[in-house]
Amino acid sequence: MDKKPFSNNKSKGSKQGKKGFKNAGFVALLVLFSLVIFAAYGQPGNLKDISTNQAVREANNGQYSKIEKKGNELTITKKGESQPSLKSTVDPNASLKEEGFNTSKFEIKYAPEASSGSLWGTLLISLLPILLIGGMLYFMLKSAQGQGNQALSFGKSRARLYGNEKDKVIFGDVAGQAEAKQDLEEVVEFLKFPKKFASLGARIPKGVLLVGPPGTGKTMLARAVAGEANVPFFSISGSEFVEMFVGVGASRVRDLFAKAKKNAPCIIFVDEIDAVGRRRGSGMGGGHDEREQTLNQILVEMDGFEQGQNVIVLAATNRADVLDPALLRPGRFDRRVGIGLPDRQDREAILKIHFKKKPVSKTVDLDALAAKSAGSSGADLANIANESAIIAARNNHPEISQHDVTEAFERVAIGPERKSKIMTESDKMTTAYHEAGHALVGHVLPDSDPVHKVTIIPRGGTGGVTWFLPPEDKVYTSLIEFKDVLARALGGRIAEEVILGRDRITTGGGNDLQKAAEIARDMVINQGMGSKLRDQVFHVDEGMMMERIVHERSYSDDTAKVIDQEVEALITEAGERARAVIKANMDKLEALKDCLLQKETVDADEVKEIFKGTTLPKAAALY
Ligand code: ADP
Ligand code: MG
Ligand code: ZN
């Protein structure tokens, strides 16, 4: 999915031109240098040039002691002199005899090629240090200038321009998300046929906000809009606006919008807009001011768009609740497209897309995989498909088998198996009781999801895993379902306590307790499911660190105390219920523990078989 961006060619071209010019200057300097040196080392300049006829005459008169011939040049040494003082030229193809020289009157030396080579050799050697120093200077200059360029380009947006045909994304590549696609189809129409809307006096929206959890295909959909409308697509991430230096965010926004206007019709896509678009006014410290300036600039630019400019700004976020209301005003991001986690049908469609180009065995059941992957995002499913291929390749399978897919699913959902991690016998035993405890409590309580698999093979960071899967996609969770989830989360720790005694409980339950505490707090604070604090919610802004200290919360210290008590009550109750279930079904706990120690992994059907005839004690039943 990695697209090759082609960035602003124009600026690149001009930069290269400048560099070329500098290169030429450098070469000229070098040539000058070598000429000077050549002159110094070459023929002494004080040789007197004489005509060939004069040379022949004087030579035949016996006035010369030595003639050196090199190509068409003669270097002549007079009798009684030790150094040559004359020079002349002859036809290079004719011998001296043919020229009329009486060759017995003087010594002839034919300057061999090697001599000129050695001249060049000495030249090169003497030039080498200069070349080296020159080269070093050149590179130092160049890198320094490169840094200078970079510093200058800080204010430039890093927007990447997509839109080349090869890696175009279209709606067909995005599985499911029918409603979102329908909404975005309209945006495509705006970009393709602006006149149609303008003629009816319709105001084309400037901004469209894509809202949805991570990995649901927001970025993909935005690119598909560009692909469908066949327009350029400038993509930038919110965090890129504010990175590194204060004061560049706003100028980057200006630059980006200027670029986009030049390329209209086009799409500007601001990914993760919450990085800059958080509510203003709670500012403390420089980071906030920077963010605000950037955000203000975005607002200014969007207001500055004129009708018919035909630039549409798409933005994506998974935190629409923290966005500044000014962003959502009409004329800015006034359209909102919700993108949810895929339902079962969509999951299957997504899996099909991602398995399409891979060799898959006929036994692979994507329908079943879609059924058990409730809560997975499109990105998770793409990841499962990729992991399947990796696992199949590592197992040297010619095609992806059902087993590879199952392993990939588990790896993505709960982390890879750590078979090599060796546990002591007593740790293994404790883990078996612990996991059997989770499974037993989950199985016996009527509103818990069924057990999918229990294993004491370490996975990810845990000693073992008990895995519950909802039989179908659920939209809501009831209070009693929450309570059963809490009880089964504590089931592991309570089983350890019942079997080994309070002193021997282990750190294996730490994670469970943390998760339970989170759920209980969410129940009380966000869902109004407390017993005293009924039907009230208590907003906590999970903003930045500073905000949390300053604005902290919208309720009093007394309420905070009550919330803590409520959470504690929920956890205590869950522990009691888990204990009641375990004590009433000790034989089943032992049976699953034995099975786990023997087989390490027990699946849904076997668990059901072992747990046949469990009883729900009164103390654990809530109604
Ligand atoms: P987001 O921007 O919402 O976090 P992305 O658009 O980056 O999610 O999606 C991440 C990856 O997940 C995509 O590259 C794609 O492979 C996969 N994906 C997500 N949703 C879908 C979908 N509906 N159809 C096909 N692939 C999807
Ligand atoms: Mg994204
Ligand atoms: Zn546990």
Side-chain angles (χ1 to χ4, degrees), residues 434-435 438 489 492-493 508-509 512:
H434 179 107
E435 298 307 332
H438 284 306
R493 162 59 63 89
D512 300 331

mmCIF file of all heavy atoms in Angstrom, residues 434-435 438 489 492-493 508-509 512, ligand 3:
data_model
loop_
_atom_site.group_PDB
_atom_site.id
_atom_site.type_symbol
_atom_site.label_atom_id
_atom_site.label_comp_id
_atom_site.label_asym_id
_atom_site.label_seq_id
_atom_site.Cartn_x
_atom_site.Cartn_y
_atom_site.Cartn_z
ATOM 1 N N HIS A 434 -5.459 -21.385 36.817
ATOM 2 C CA HIS A 434 -5.859 -20.004 36.536
ATOM 3 C C HIS A 434 -6.758 -19.937 35.293
ATOM 4 O O HIS A 434 -7.856 -19.383 35.339
ATOM 5 C CB HIS A 434 -4.592 -19.146 36.332
ATOM 6 C CG HIS A 434 -4.837 -17.706 36.020
ATOM 7 N ND1 HIS A 434 -4.605 -16.704 36.927
ATOM 8 C CD2 HIS A 434 -5.287 -17.093 34.893
ATOM 9 C CE1 HIS A 434 -4.910 -15.537 36.380
ATOM 10 N NE2 HIS A 434 -5.323 -15.754 35.140
ATOM 11 N N GLU A 435 -6.299 -20.535 34.207
ATOM 12 C CA GLU A 435 -7.081 -20.485 32.961
ATOM 13 C C GLU A 435 -8.377 -21.269 33.112
ATOM 14 O O GLU A 435 -9.432 -20.846 32.617
ATOM 15 C CB GLU A 435 -6.258 -21.014 31.780
ATOM 16 C CG GLU A 435 -4.988 -20.217 31.475
ATOM 17 C CD GLU A 435 -5.214 -18.720 31.295
ATOM 18 O OE1 GLU A 435 -6.310 -18.326 30.876
ATOM 19 O OE2 GLU A 435 -4.280 -17.938 31.608
ATOM 20 N N HIS A 438 -10.898 -18.985 34.730
ATOM 21 C CA HIS A 438 -11.555 -18.068 33.783
ATOM 22 C C HIS A 438 -12.641 -18.808 33.003
ATOM 23 O O HIS A 438 -13.777 -18.341 32.877
ATOM 24 C CB HIS A 438 -10.548 -17.540 32.754
ATOM 25 C CG HIS A 438 -9.606 -16.488 33.254
ATOM 26 N ND1 HIS A 438 -10.033 -15.341 33.863
ATOM 27 C CD2 HIS A 438 -8.245 -16.406 33.191
ATOM 28 C CE1 HIS A 438 -8.965 -14.590 34.162
ATOM 29 N NE2 HIS A 438 -7.864 -15.231 33.770
ATOM 30 N N ALA A 489 -13.275 -12.320 34.437
ATOM 31 C CA ALA A 489 -11.933 -11.736 34.436
ATOM 32 C C ALA A 489 -11.232 -12.048 35.761
ATOM 33 O O ALA A 489 -10.021 -12.253 35.806
ATOM 34 C CB ALA A 489 -12.002 -10.238 34.214
ATOM 35 N N GLY A 492 -9.633 -16.250 37.137
ATOM 36 C CA GLY A 492 -8.287 -16.821 37.201
ATOM 37 C C GLY A 492 -7.673 -16.632 38.575
ATOM 38 O O GLY A 492 -7.222 -17.589 39.222
ATOM 39 N N ARG A 493 -7.664 -15.392 39.038
ATOM 40 C CA ARG A 493 -7.093 -15.072 40.338
ATOM 41 C C ARG A 493 -7.814 -15.835 41.465
ATOM 42 O O ARG A 493 -7.175 -16.382 42.370
ATOM 43 C CB ARG A 493 -7.183 -13.559 40.555
ATOM 44 C CG ARG A 493 -7.040 -13.050 41.966
ATOM 45 C CD ARG A 493 -5.726 -13.415 42.641
ATOM 46 N NE ARG A 493 -4.528 -12.884 42.029
ATOM 47 C CZ ARG A 493 -3.976 -11.709 42.325
ATOM 48 N NH1 ARG A 493 -4.535 -10.925 43.200
ATOM 49 N NH2 ARG A 493 -2.867 -11.333 41.755
ATOM 50 N N GLY A 508 0.237 -13.691 37.826
ATOM 51 C CA GLY A 508 -0.472 -14.052 36.584
ATOM 52 C C GLY A 508 -1.808 -13.345 36.451
ATOM 53 O O GLY A 508 -2.352 -13.252 35.346
ATOM 54 N N GLY A 509 -2.345 -12.835 37.578
ATOM 55 C CA GLY A 509 -3.661 -12.205 37.509
ATOM 56 C C GLY A 509 -3.634 -10.698 37.370
ATOM 57 O O GLY A 509 -4.683 -10.065 37.279
ATOM 58 N N ASP A 512 -5.440 -9.199 34.390
ATOM 59 C CA ASP A 512 -6.896 -9.377 34.491
ATOM 60 C C ASP A 512 -7.495 -8.297 35.377
ATOM 61 O O ASP A 512 -8.535 -7.726 35.060
ATOM 62 C CB ASP A 512 -7.224 -10.744 35.115
ATOM 63 C CG ASP A 512 -6.678 -11.889 34.292
ATOM 64 O OD1 ASP A 512 -6.555 -11.715 33.070
ATOM 65 O OD2 ASP A 512 -6.377 -12.948 34.881
HETATM 66 ZN ZN ZN B 3 -5.945 -14.475 33.641
#
